Amino acid sequence: MRRMRANSAAVMALYLMAAIFVLALLAPWFNPNSADTLDWAHAAARPGMQGAHWFGTDRLGRDLFVRTLAGTRMSIVIGLAASFISLAVGVSYGAVAGYVGGRADQVMMRMVEILSGLPLVFFVIFLTVMFGRSEYLLFFSIGAVGWLTMARIVRGQTLSIRKREFIEAAVASGAGTPRIIAKHVIPNVVGPVVVYATLMVPQIILFESFLSFLGLGIQEPGASLGTLVAEGVGEMETAPWILVIPGGVLAVLLLCLNLFGDGLRDALDVKEA
Amino acid sequence: MIRYFFLRLAAAVPTLLMIVTATFFLMHAAPGGPFDQEQVLAPEIQANLQRSYGLDLPIWSQYGRYLASLRHGDFGPSFKYKDFTVTELIAQGFPVTFTLGVIAILLALGIGIPLGTLAALHHNTSLDHATMSLAVLGIAVPTFVVLPFLGLLFGVYLHWLPVAGWEARSIRHLALPVIALALPPLAYIARLTRGSMLEIMGAHFIRTAFAKGLPASTVILRHALRPALMPVASYLVPAVASIMTGSLVVESIAGLPGIGRYLVQGALNRDYTLVLGMVIIYSTLLISLGLLVDLLYAWLDPRVRR
């Protein structure tokens, strides 16, 4: 932890990130506007104090401050939920492959290799288009793509501990394979998993906003940062703030998450598998 | 090595077939069809349309017919862009997407590798820190934010470059999209090169090379760089995949007439043949690139050649 604190960029990133999180959660309480009320008197208003629209409004007069923070909240929620799915799938898959070993391991990892060589993004685009655009499907399909790297890392870690004495002791005391994997293998690979999970969250938020940008993610009137940026691009020559504000927030959020994850990795000195 | 290469080559065909099959059946399993429109067609017209495109046949024979036409390099007719075959649509847009992608990847390699090398050689100096900060920025900030911001700065405020649009063989129109596309892989490549370069500069054979009295430039270029590029080589396939993905948004933001738009639009329209064609093109490109990378490995690391 001391090494973490020495990394000033990571510490600043952590504070900034915390500030964004808190703002996103508390926004409804300290700005009088709501995310989807139309204020026709102030459509496409510049940022300022007009009608308490601190960041201005969009083409329909919706308050940009509240909308951006609602979008941030959505992006964070989806990012965390999808990361959790990737984590659950990746960790169990990797632990089983690494612990069972032999032919099963070869087949399982060969599958991961083939899958990660494919343009999976196109597959996700596909799934979301084909089977409706619900939020659940969205984070499920993102999660389905994100587990590959995690599986690889966990397998590597598992290989390095499977011959250790405490595993042998568990085998000797008659524990079954599923029990050993759940009780002894997984708890002992948590360190690197946590580090890579923090690096996975920004990737997943990025991917979600990418899908939303293409119009395949969150639908109107809901908003994620990707949807807001897409709206802003259409208006950038006349009302640049509609682009700059959500785009800026997205950039800063992702930057902070990345800096924090990098800092954590360096501080704990985790090697890539 | 040669045997391994041919094994991979032989595995590429079934992989591709698997992708085609999965895509084909997934698309047909999804609700909706290419002729669902807001204006409901008379059932007779609907039936006739279905028949003329062979959609009334059982799915297995549709699949068989599709594979048979693929063997002649025919992707079939597009369902939405009437009067066009998928082959024609892709042939029109492909050069634009391809040019964009190739320039972007060359830029990413051409700047990323030297930048990473320099950062490693000047470890812990301000040059190193600046490069790594730039790298985090490039990795973190999404393409679809970078491009509009660049457009706003250089197009709307400074009037140096056009914000969007396309003219054949116009570098000015390509500049911003290419920069936005190249940035994430460039950042990643710089980081990878720096990391492996740092490791290799501490290796015994480098110390030996210096001890022999070789000039630093020879040691770096002839001895260190080649093994240091191994991780970059293995990143090439993901890099190209990321450029392909990026070009979907870049083309739509900059209004370039590439093939990116066909993937999303085609899937939304249930334009089965168009989407399949796109998936085949992208997968073939990535799989053949993977094979090239295998060869590249052999060139970079003599130990692989056995």
Side-chain angles (χ1 to χ4, degrees):
Chain A
M1 240 35 233
R2 201 172 341 106
R3 271 198 282 179
M4 185 78 212
R5 234 171 280 143
N7 184 341
S8 55
V11 174
M12 279 223 324
L14 182 62
Y15 286 140
L16 203 54
M17 205 160 72
I20 294 178
F21 271 53
V22 170
L23 263 178
L25 280 177
L26 298 184
W29 281 283
F30 56 84
N31 189 295
N33 300 293
S34 92
D36 28 331
T37 328
L38 311 180
D39 182 355
W40 289 108
H42 299 108
R46 290 178 174 283
M49 285 297 146
Q50 268 179 338
H53 299 305
W54 300 337
F55 285 177
T57 59
D58 68 8
R59 199 47 72 199
L60 297 173
R62 288 178 293 193
D63 183 76
L64 216 53
F65 177 76
V66 177
R67 247 172 105 64
T68 302
L69 289 181
T72 311
R73 199 159 53 227
M74 183 62 89
S75 291
I76 292 174
V77 167
I78 292 184
L80 292 179
S83 302
F84 185 76
I85 293 177
S86 314
L87 202 66
V89 177
V91 169
S92 22
Y93 194 96
V96 169
Y99 183 72
V100 175
R103 181 145 293 186
D105 176 38
Q106 272 177 18
V107 173
M108 284 172 87
M109 290 331 278
R110 182 79 195 129
M111 248 174 71
V112 169
E113 200 185 305
I114 291 179
L115 282 177
S116 47
L118 298 182
L120 273 189
V121 184
F122 303 117
F123 228 62
V124 171
I125 289 181
F126 220 62
L127 284 178
T128 43
V129 174
M130 294 288 135
F131 297 98
R133 286 171 255 172
S134 76
E135 281 147 38
Y136 297 104
L137 185 81
L138 183 65
F139 65 70
F140 184 78
S141 56
I142 299 171
V145 175
W147 65 275
L148 295 169
T149 322
M150 194 49 83
R152 238 186 242 140
I153 288 161
V154 172
R155 172 184 173 267
Q157 294 293 324
T158 308
L159 281 181
S160 70
I161 63 165
R162 63 182 281 216
K163 292 280 175 238
R164 298 264 291 275
E165 290 83 355
F166 66 92
I167 301 278
E168 233 169 89
V171 175
S173 65
T177 305
R179 189 184 157 80
I180 294 178
I181 291 176
K183 291 269 167 180
H184 301 284
V185 174
I186 290 179
N188 282 293
V189 297
V190 162
V193 167
V194 168
V195 170
Y196 279 93
T198 56
L199 281 168
M200 193 163 72
V201 175
Q203 279 169 22
I204 282 179
I205 292 182
L206 181 99
F207 190 45
E208 179 275 323
S209 54
F210 170 79
L211 288 178
S212 292
F213 180 88
L214 286 176
L216 301 175
I218 302 298
Q219 301 291 305
E220 288 275 338
S224 87
L225 289 171
T227 350
L228 295 176
V229 172
E231 264 169 50
V233 167
E235 314 277 356
M236 71 190 241
E237 305 204 17
T238 50
W241 60 91
I242 303 180
L243 163 70
V244 171
I245 289 168
V249 171
L250 180 59
V252 170
L253 179 67
L254 290 175
L255 199 60
C256 289
L257 282 164
N258 270 298
L259 282 173
F260 177 69
D262 284 348
L264 202 61
R265 184 189 52 198
D266 295 346
L268 298 176
D269 199 21
V270 182
K271 282 270 182 213
E272 209 151 335
Chain B
M1 176 60 208
I2 292 172
R3 196 172 145 255
Y4 173 72
F5 178 75
F6 279 105
L7 274 178
R8 289 291 299 261
L9 193 65
V13 179
T15 312
L16 203 58
L17 192 68
M18 235 163 63
I19 298 170
V20 173
T21 311
T23 319
F24 186 90
F25 285 102
L26 261 177
M27 284 208 75
H28 285 267
F35 304 118
D36 299 346
Q37 294 167 359
E38 286 174 16
Q39 190 188 5
V40 180
L41 297 170
E44 295 82 15
I45 301 179
Q46 186 91 358
N48 275 334
L49 270 173
Q50 302 260 8
R51 184 148 359 103
S52 78
Y53 283 104
L55 288 176
D56 56 336
L57 297 169
I59 185 141
W60 282 105
S61 66
Q62 284 186 43
Y63 177 64
R65 278 169 53 146
Y66 186 73
L67 286 189
S69 70
L70 266 191
R71 281 215 326 243
H72 313 291
D74 175 11
F75 292 123
S78 163
F79 289 98
K80 272 283 141 123
Y81 300 87
K82 304 265 161 60
D83 307 328
F84 284 100
T85 65
V86 170
T87 316
E88 282 166 357
L89 285 174
I90 291 179
Q92 270 173 19
F94 189 73
V96 176
T97 305
F98 190 72
T99 316
L100 202 65
V102 168
I103 303 179
I105 192 78
L106 290 180
L107 207 64
L109 289 168
I111 299 181
I113 294 174
L115 212 56
T117 311
L118 279 178
L121 296 177
H122 300 269
H123 187 42
N124 272 337
T125 62
S126 49
L127 177 77
D128 184 21
H129 297 312
T131 308
M132 284 308 105
S133 315
L134 191 75
V136 182
L137 213 66
I139 291 168
V141 184
T143 311
F144 61 86
V145 173
V146 171
L147 181 57
F149 275 37
L150 286 177
L152 211 54
L153 182 63
F154 293 108
V156 179
Y157 294 131
L158 296 174
H159 299 289
W160 288 356
L161 292 164
V163 176
W166 165 258
E167 274 167 36
R169 277 179 284 284
S170 152
I171 297 174
R172 282 164 49 82
H173 284 85
L174 276 181
L176 294 181
V178 160
I179 294 174
L181 260 188
L183 203 57
L186 192 159
Y188 212 86
I189 288 170
R191 214 189 226 192
L192 282 175
T193 314
R194 173 180 173 272
S196 60
M197 203 65 184
L198 275 178
E199 206 166 293
I200 281 170
M201 288 309 280
H204 290 307
F205 72 95
I206 294 296
R207 206 172 53 187
T208 311
F210 274 118
K212 281 195 303 187
L214 292 177
S217 59
T218 317
V219 176
I220 291 157
L221 292 177
R222 291 211 35 179
H223 296 269
L225 200 54
R226 215 155 104 173
L229 288 183
M230 293 289 288
V232 178
S234 56
Y235 173 66
L236 264 182
V237 175
V240 170
S242 106
I243 284 181
M244 284 176 177
T245 332
S247 72
L248 296 185
V249 288
V250 162
E251 283 173 20
S252 92
I253 295 173
L256 301 177
I259 53 175
R261 62 205 148 123
Y262 292 142
L263 190 74
V264 178
Q265 274 313 310
L268 285 171
N269 292 335
R270 300 285 184 279
D271 198 339
Y272 298 137
T273 42
L274 185 56
V275 173
L276 276 168
M278 291 291 296
V279 170
I280 293 170
I281 293 280
Y282 280 134
S283 320
T284 313
L285 273 175
L286 283 182
I287 291 174
S288 19
L289 188 73
L291 289 172
L292 270 179
V293 167
D294 281 343
L295 289 181
L296 196 62
Y297 268 141
W299 179 70
L300 286 173
D301 186 355
R303 282 171 303 183
V304 182
R305 275 178 222 162
R306 275 174 291 128

